Amino acid sequence: MKLRTDIALQPAAPDAEGGLRSLVLCGGRGTGLVLTGSELKAAVGTPAGTVLFVAYGDPFEESLTITLAGPDWQVLDEATLAASGASGSFEDLVLMQPDAMSFRFFGNRRMILTAYERPRLTIPLDAFGLGLQRPFQWRRWFRLKAA
């Protein structure tokens, strides 16, 4: 795993409710991938693709979407950290070889993301607690847990 410095965001048309969205750029070129949010906090290359940490950009009710995009910039897996009325700040990203990284978002709460090379069969009920939202699916490309 390594930090990617060739990834950026460009504002895109808002969604149907007027929410912020951004086009992911790689090397200055559009990838076709549009994500919710406006602030790229980090991009990490993994064997399966690129993990993108994108904050929504609302200082009064911040959210962080974590997306694993495959080599063709298709969304493989996604998770959102958000809570009504809560503010968060993405901090202290640490790459822990070979397949994990840790960071903080809600205060001092450290989270660990473990990326997989291939999807793993999982029970789609994450026991992470308040603030984690994930789409219902039987296979996951990464695991997110509190440290």
Side-chain angles (χ1 to χ4, degrees):
M1 287 190 314
K2 65 177 183 162
L3 284 175
R4 294 195 58 177
T5 58
D6 60 334
I7 307 296
L9 296 181
Q10 174 181 306
D15 64 19
E17 290 83 37
L20 298 173
R21 296 184 337 146
S22 297
L23 172 67
V24 177
L25 305 175
C26 180
R29 305 180 98 173
T31 63
L33 177 59
V34 176
L35 299 175
T36 298
S38 64
E39 300 174 17
L40 179 66
K41 296 299 186 177
V44 179
T46 72
T50 302
V51 177
L52 302 158
F53 294 90
V54 178
Y56 187 75
D58 181 347
F60 302 107
E61 197 167 304
E62 187 62 274
S63 65
L64 179 73
T65 299
I66 304 163
T67 303
L68 174 63
D72 294 330
W73 297 101
Q74 75 280 16
V75 174
L76 299 177
D77 204 351
E78 197 166 44
T80 300
L81 294 170
S84 182
S87 62
S89 178
F90 182 82
E91 299 173 337
D92 196 22
L93 177 66
V94 177
L95 301 183
M96 305 173 343
Q97 297 300 329
D99 61 355
M101 59 194 88
S102 71
F103 63 94
R104 294 173 204 253
F105 184 66
F106 290 127
N108 289 328
R109 188 177 189 187
R110 180 161 289 284
M111 291 160 230
I112 298 174
L113 185 148
T114 304
Y116 308 132
E117 288 189 44
R118 290 178 288 290
R120 294 190 180 177
L121 185 63
T122 62
I123 296 172
L125 303 172
D126 289 305
F128 184 82
L130 186 65
L132 175 66
Q133 303 158 13
R134 293 191 86 168
F136 185 89
Q137 57 192 45
W138 292 101
R139 297 188 182 277
R140 299 265 187 234
W141 285 84
F142 64 84
R143 185 174 110 194
L144 187 61
K145 68 175 189 170

